[in-house]
């Protein structure tokens, strides 16, 4: 009886029952099944591991999660591509060197022109400004050609931007 009661409380508490994958597990899954299959398994268009775990982890800029982002790129569609690209952009202030390491001009999504342009924006103007300023500040410390290119893209994006409108 105690077991049933405790199980019932666990279910009512809203504790997630699904396992949350580590970066290493996701890389193994991608190697075994392919990026397209893994993306479709993780993303269901609603509250999923994609939204609740993977995208937030990538945006923190940890090298292992940036490697996952790179491996997932070939499996994304239009909606998941925007999420992935936005998460990598948001990782810039946390790990600019790590972000630059996964960018490649021959890639359709994860390249300097797109990631450093911040094509998906945060919810508020304050968050957007903080992301831009912190990203430029951290990227400025990277003394490579790619780092300078990224800063140039960021600045050009700000110079050519329209006033913030959260309804767009």
């Amino acid at each position: 009886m105690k077991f049933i009661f405790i199980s019932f409380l666990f279910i009512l508490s809203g504790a997630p029952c699904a396992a949350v994958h580590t970066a290493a597990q996701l890389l193994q899954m991608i190697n075994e099944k392919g990026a397209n299959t893994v993306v479709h398994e993780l993303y269901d268009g609603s509250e999923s591991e994609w939204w609740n775990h993977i995208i937030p982890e990538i945006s923190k800029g940890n090298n292992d999660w940036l490697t996952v982002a790179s491996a997932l790129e070939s499996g994304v569609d239009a909606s998941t591509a925007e999420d992935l690209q936005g998460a990598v952009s948001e990782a810039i202030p946390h790990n600019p060197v790590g972000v630059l390491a996964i960018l490649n001009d021959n890639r359709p999504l994860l390249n300097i022109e797109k990631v450093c342009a911040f094509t998906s924006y945060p919810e508020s103007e304050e968050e957007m400004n903080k992301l831009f300023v912190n990203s430029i500040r951290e990227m400025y410390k990277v003394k490579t050609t790619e780092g300078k290119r990224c800063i140039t893209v960021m600045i050009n994006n700000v110079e050519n931007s329209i006033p913030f409108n959260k309804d767009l």
Side-chain angles (χ1 to χ4, degrees):
M1 184 66 176
K2 278 185 174 181
F3 176 76
I4 294 172
F5 181 72
I6 291 171
S7 297
F8 181 73
L9 287 177
F10 181 78
I11 291 169
L12 284 180
S13 72
C17 296
V20 175
H21 294 93
T22 66
Q25 289 170 330
L26 287 170
L27 289 172
Q28 182 178 352
M29 288 170 59
I30 293 165
N31 286 333
E32 292 172 359
K33 300 178 182 181
N36 191 32
T37 301
V38 172
V39 169
H40 284 90
E41 287 177 3
L42 298 171
Y43 178 80
D44 65 10
S46 63
E47 296 298 314
S48 65
E49 186 174 359
W50 181 262
W51 290 101
N52 294 325
H53 179 63
I54 295 167
I55 295 302
E57 287 299 325
I58 292 169
S59 69
K60 293 176 186 175
N62 174 283
N63 284 330
D64 292 340
W65 283 100
L66 291 172
T67 302
V68 169
S70 180
L72 287 171
E73 180 185 22
S74 64
V76 296
D77 59 18
S79 63
T80 53
E82 185 177 333
D83 300 333
L84 185 64
Q85 188 175 359
V88 174
S89 292
E90 289 180 23
I92 290 173
H94 306 292
N95 185 359
V97 173
V99 169
L100 289 173
I102 67 165
L103 303 183
N104 183 319
D105 288 337
N106 296 322
R107 299 176 92 168
L109 180 66
L110 298 181
N111 62 62
I112 287 176
E113 294 297 321
K114 291 187 178 173
V115 171
C116 297
F118 299 100
T119 54
S120 56
Y121 296 104
E123 293 292 317
S124 71
E125 186 171 13
E126 180 181 340
E127 290 173 5
M128 182 178 71
N129 290 339
K130 181 180 177 183
L131 177 61
F132 280 175
V133 169
N134 290 341
S135 295
I136 291 170
R137 180 181 297 128
E138 293 304 314
M139 192 60 73
Y140 185 75
K141 297 173 186 175
V142 179
K143 304 295 184 190
T144 64
T145 303
E146 293 82 7
K148 291 175 185 175
R149 277 187 56 217
C150 187
I151 289 173
T152 300
V153 170
M154 288 183 216
I155 292 170
N156 286 339
N157 189 48
V158 172
E159 286 178 348
N160 297 314
S161 65
I162 58 173
F164 184 83
N165 183 348
K166 71 176 183 174
D167 296 326
L168 289 180

